[in-house]
């Protein structure tokens, strides 16, 4: 045994389980008066935020909920959601945030699969929650969030949230965290095929990713973070805990609505926010008279789908500074960042936004990210051209899929998490995603990246949104078919768009068909490419 291992044991003084719950406890001590949470007229400082979270923890305890029990929550981005993110893990229970756009059958499946013991639910969702509870077929206690800003909905629960809080003691609850590997939350992937999979997060990963976000986005106690990203999505990419770690201010928002977003930006002098590219596109294309600015440009993190560089540019023109992140539910949200190099500043905006549209390098809190051939697990050359699968390893990869050892083993094969995304490695070490494995088009043996074609289509002045999918082709096996939404109906025709594509890409990549109309979206706002693929196959 080395001298450095002798008599130097891990013990309480030098080894504590990492848990993001410790951030709130610290903030309440260090900056008790600092504004922690803003929601309409409601304002809580860190002392109050901690007190309310403690009371919720105690109330849950008194209801018999403790270590290893699952508490589900169906809520908008409101203070209750933030409190649940601290209270539930504090007693060692597991928080299951539900995607509020899911249908009743999927909600019932999740409540059953995750073995929820209690549901905290915003009144606005009572119609769908009632339906889900009927399908669940077993009693489940419900606590109502009766938010004054909710749009309707009845109270269906056993108790109101505020009364529930009052039923808890304002004392330090029994610490439920003894091991950083303990489960902290359960989040379901959208399940585009079959039932969704439940990703289980641990305290250690949530702690690290929260700090990773803080450092990636430069969040400080002077930051005012606007909640445009749903907190149910990867626990708000762990910003739920990250903003608290920084002791910044959480500015709540129930709805992603351009007018409301711009009003909040101005009124609360917002410094940071996150959103999927679809949200950016919505803001960039909203009427100019709605646009408001904060005292300086808002740091905006985007990810969840590839942001077209034209969208990044448009946002930079209206008061945002965009950072591009990539990740999955399995990686607590962000795992890579397109870290701008100093000399990119000198590039022309189009060149800079093309660099920024790459997914980048691994987070400081991620061990590694690489592009590999999935069968051999060998890295592809850094030539910006050879396609492989993006693999990630580190401490911010989920524990695994709940009650699904086969899928877990499959995902972690060879010591890396297989993302299912195909991409290339550039010579500067930056990763660029070309497609999801199931979306890439194989035409005459050549790979065609649908993202690359979409990138061009988004630059066409008449096009608001675009999605490209594979369509069966007699000669080539598959060929690209584009679905587009125009700013104005009749703003461009098929011939014109195809001609535009021929001017901007290799001819074999040019879509053979252009279909006009609205694009179907998933519950997380992603375009449902599988539906479009079916449509393309039916109509070709
Ligand atoms: P779901 O799998 O349910 O759609 P996720 O949020 O886990 O929900 O989606 C992760 C997927 O989103 C990734 O595998 C990738 O395909 C896509 N994605 C996320 N961020 C980016 C990005 N910055 N660029 C391109 N694709 C992205």
């Amino acid at each position: 045994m080395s001298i450095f291992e002798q008599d130097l044991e891990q013990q309480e003084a030098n080894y504590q389980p990492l848990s993001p719950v410790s951030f709130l406890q610290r903030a309440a001590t260090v900056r008790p008066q600092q504004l922690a949470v803003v929601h309409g007229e409601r304002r809580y400082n860190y002392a109050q935020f901690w007190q309310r979270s403690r009371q919720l923890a105690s109330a849950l305890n008194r209801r018999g909920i403790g270590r290893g029990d699952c508490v589900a929550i169906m809520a908008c981005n409101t203070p209750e959601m933030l409190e649940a993110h601290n209270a539930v893990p504090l007693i060692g229970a597991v928080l299951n945030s539900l995607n509020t756009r899911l249908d009743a059958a999927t909600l019932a499946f999740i409540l059953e699969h995750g073995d929820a013991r209690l549901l905290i639910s915003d009144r606005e969702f009572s119609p769908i929650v009632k339906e889900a509870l009927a399908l669940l077929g077993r009693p489940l206690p419900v606590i109502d969030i009766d938010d004054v800003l909710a749009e309707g909905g009845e109270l269906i629960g056993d108790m109101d949230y505020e009364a529930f809080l009052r039923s808890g003691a304002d004392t330090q609850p029994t610490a439920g965290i003894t091991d950083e590997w303990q489960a902290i939350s359960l989040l379901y992937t959208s399940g585009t095929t079959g039932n969704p999979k439940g990703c289980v997060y641990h305290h250690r990963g949530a702690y690290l990713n929260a700090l990773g976000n803080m450092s990636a986005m430069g969040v400080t106690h002077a930051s005012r973070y606007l909640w445009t990203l749903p907190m149910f999505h990867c626990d708000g990419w762990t910003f739920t805990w990250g903003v608290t770690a920084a002791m910044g201010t959480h500015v709540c928002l129930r709805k992603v609505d351009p007018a409301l977003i711009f009003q909040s930006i101005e009124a609360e002098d917002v410094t940071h926010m996150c959103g999927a590219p679809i949200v950016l596109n919505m803001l960039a294309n909203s009427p100019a008279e709605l646009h408001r600015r904060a005292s300086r440009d808002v740091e905006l993190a985007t990810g969840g789908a590839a942001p077209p560089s034209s969208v990044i540019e448009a946002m930079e023109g209206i008061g945002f500074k965009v950072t591009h992140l990539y990740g999955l539910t399995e990686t607590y949200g962000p795992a890579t960042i397109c870290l701008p190099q100093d000399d990119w500043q000198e590039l022309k905006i189009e060149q800079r936004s093309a660099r920024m549209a790459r997914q980048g390098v691994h987070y400081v809190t991620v061990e590694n990210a690489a592009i590999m051939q999935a069968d051999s697990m060998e890295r592809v050359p850094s030539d910006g051209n050879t396609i492989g699968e993006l693999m990630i390893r580190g401490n911010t990869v989920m524990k695994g899929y709940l009650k699904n050892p086969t899928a877990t083993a499959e995902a972690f094969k060879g010591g890396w998490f297989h993302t299912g995304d195909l991409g290339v490695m550039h010579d500067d070490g930056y990763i660029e995603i070309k497609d999801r494995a199931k979306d890439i088009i194989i035409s005459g043996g050549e790979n065609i990246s649908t993202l690359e074609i979409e990138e061009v289509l988004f630059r066409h002045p008449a096009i608001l949104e675009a999605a490209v999918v594979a369509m069966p082709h007699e000669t080539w096996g598959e060929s690209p078919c584009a679905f587009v939404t125009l700013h104005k109906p009749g703003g461009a025709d098929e011939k014109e768009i195809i001609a535009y594509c021929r001017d901007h890409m290799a001819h074999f990549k040019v879509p053979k068909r252009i279909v006009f109309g609205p694009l179907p979206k998933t519950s997380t706002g992603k375009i449902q490419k599988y539906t479009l693929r079916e449509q393309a196959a039916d109509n070709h």
Side-chain angles (χ1 to χ4, degrees):
M1 192 191 268
S2 130
I3 54 164
F4 297 105
E5 283 163 36
Q6 279 167 24
D7 315 317
L8 300 171
E9 311 261 293
Q10 273 181 10
Q11 48 197 298
E12 268 183 57
N14 63 14
Y15 194 88
Q16 287 287 319
L18 301 179
S19 168
V21 171
S22 63
F23 302 145
L24 178 56
Q25 210 160 339
R26 173 172 176 270
T29 319
V30 179
R31 289 186 186 274
Q33 302 306 324
Q34 159 89 20
L35 185 58
V37 183
V38 174
H39 183 51
E41 302 285 297
R42 289 161 73 185
R43 297 251 182 306
Y44 301 119
N45 62 28
Y46 268 105
Q48 293 165 320
F49 181 15
W50 174 226
Q51 183 192 344
R52 288 174 60 84
S53 302
R54 253 180 1 227
Q55 275 184 279
L56 175 58
S58 158
L60 289 165
N61 256 170
R62 287 180 174 183
R63 271 269 177 152
I65 290 173
R67 190 172 165 151
D69 292 330
C70 178
V71 175
I73 183 161
M74 176 88 164
C76 293
N77 290 343
T78 61
E80 295 77 11
M81 190 65 156
L82 288 167
E83 287 153 13
H85 270 82
N86 291 285
V88 173
L90 191 63
I91 54 168
V94 180
L95 183 66
N96 177 208
S97 300
L98 301 169
N99 182 332
T100 57
R101 293 173 213 138
L102 291 175
D103 56 87
T106 311
L107 288 171
F109 168 83
I110 292 175
L111 292 170
E112 182 56 34
H113 190 255
D115 198 17
R117 300 274 316 276
L118 181 115
L119 171 66
I120 302 174
S121 184
D122 189 288
R123 65 182 302 166
E124 200 168 306
F125 306 117
S126 52
I128 196 94
V129 168
K130 259 169 85 175
E131 234 185 283
L133 291 175
L135 289 172
L136 181 63
R138 67 166 164 95
L140 180 65
V142 177
I143 305 297
D144 286 309
I145 302 174
D146 184 10
D147 184 2
V148 289
L149 298 177
E151 282 172 17
E154 40 171 339
L155 300 175
I156 54 169
D158 312 287
M159 205 192 261
D160 164 71
Y161 182 87
E162 292 299 322
F164 189 59
L165 274 200
R166 285 193 298 275
S167 76
D170 179 19
T171 49
Q172 182 76 20
T174 20
I177 312 148
T178 50
D179 179 356
E180 60 190 23
W181 182 248
Q182 241 170 273
I184 186 168
S185 61
L186 169 66
L187 293 145
Y188 284 80
T189 60
S190 66
T192 44
T193 48
N195 281 328
K197 286 186 284 208
C199 300
V200 181
Y201 291 4
H202 48 74
H203 281 252
R204 173 184 175 79
Y207 179 99
L208 290 168
N209 210 52
L211 294 183
N213 284 331
M214 222 177 112
S215 113
M217 294 307 294
V219 183
T220 72
H221 77 275
S223 303
R224 285 164 302 277
Y225 179 93
L226 180 63
W227 272 106
T228 37
L229 180 85
M231 293 189 206
F232 65 68
H233 201 190
C234 316
D235 291 319
W237 295 351
T238 72
F239 277 91
T240 39
W241 298 297
V243 173
T244 301
M247 299 184 279
T249 303
H250 296 267
V251 181
C252 293
L253 187 73
R254 286 187 68 92
K255 237 194 354 229
V256 175
D257 168 82
L260 278 179
I261 291 174
F262 283 113
Q263 276 165 26
S264 306
I265 287 177
E266 188 181 42
E268 304 297 338
D269 201 16
V270 165
T271 58
H272 290 79
M273 57 190 249
C274 297
I278 216 165
V279 174
L280 273 53
N281 206 27
M282 184 169 126
L283 293 177
N285 289 295
S286 61
E289 61 267 22
L290 293 182
H291 298 181
R292 306 268 184 285
R293 288 191 183 227
S295 58
R296 56 191 178 120
D297 284 355
V298 177
E299 294 283 345
L300 168 58
T302 192
S309 60
S310 56
V311 174
I312 297 179
E313 277 167 43
M315 291 305 282
E316 302 228 325
I318 56 169
F320 297 88
K321 186 169 164 288
V322 181
T323 301
H324 177 193
L325 309 176
Y326 159 91
L328 311 87
T329 306
E330 286 84 341
T331 61
Y332 300 65
T336 76
I337 172 169
C338 188
L339 208 70
Q341 297 286 335
D342 292 344
D343 56 356
W344 293 6
Q345 271 312 322
E346 290 143 33
L347 297 175
K348 287 213 189 78
I349 174 104
E350 308 88 71
Q351 287 169 315
R352 190 157 54 87
S353 51
R355 296 268 169 104
M356 300 246 318
R358 302 182 305 171
Q359 284 64 24
V361 296
H362 59 274
Y363 250 41
V364 63
T365 38
V366 167
E367 206 53 33
N368 214 341
I371 304 285
M372 295 177 173
Q373 300 299 359
D375 38 7
S376 65
M377 295 302 281
E378 267 172 38
R379 288 173 193 245
V380 302
S382 303
D383 58 5
N385 193 36
T386 314
I387 291 190
E389 184 172 352
L390 173 52
M391 309 279 182
I392 295 175
R393 62 164 32 158
N395 298 299
T396 58
V397 170
M398 61 167 179
K399 283 173 82 131
Y401 297 114
L402 186 70
K403 302 194 282 196
N404 198 340
T406 317
T408 305
E410 184 95 340
F412 293 164
K413 224 170 27 197
W416 291 77
F417 167 57
H418 297 234
T419 65
D421 289 310
L422 300 179
V424 298
M425 180 64 86
H426 286 277
D427 58 2
D428 57 358
Y430 279 58
I431 286 166
E432 184 179 0
I433 303 240
K434 292 292 183 184
D435 247 321
R436 276 193 156 183
K438 49 185 183 279
D439 291 336
I440 202 149
I441 301 174
I442 303 176
S443 187
E446 298 267 11
N447 286 325
I448 303 180
S449 153
T450 61
L451 297 188
E452 232 171 82
I453 306 174
E454 288 161 14
E455 166 70 21
V456 171
L457 290 169
F458 265 92
R459 289 203 167 267
H460 190 287
I463 293 177
L464 173 66
E465 279 184 327
V468 175
V469 297
M471 166 174 79
H473 190 279
E474 292 71 27
T475 323
W476 306 116
E478 288 179 345
S479 65
C481 171
F483 289 79
V484 301
T485 314
L486 299 175
H487 286 285
K488 275 196 234 93
D493 63 16
E494 181 170 22
K495 240 172 88 189
E496 186 187 337
I497 294 175
I498 289 180
Y500 174 83
C501 289
R502 289 181 71 87
D503 287 345
H504 291 89
M505 65 183 77
H507 289 181
F508 76 98
K509 296 183 180 172
V510 172
K512 300 266 178 298
R513 271 196 69 200
I514 312 284
V515 184
F516 297 93
L519 303 178
K521 311 257 164 64
T522 67
S523 57
T524 45
K526 290 185 199 193
I527 293 164
Q528 282 176 323
K529 287 208 168 172
Y530 64 98
T531 312
L532 294 178
R533 252 194 318 270
E534 281 168 14
Q535 277 182 33
D538 287 349
N539 300 330
H540 94 282

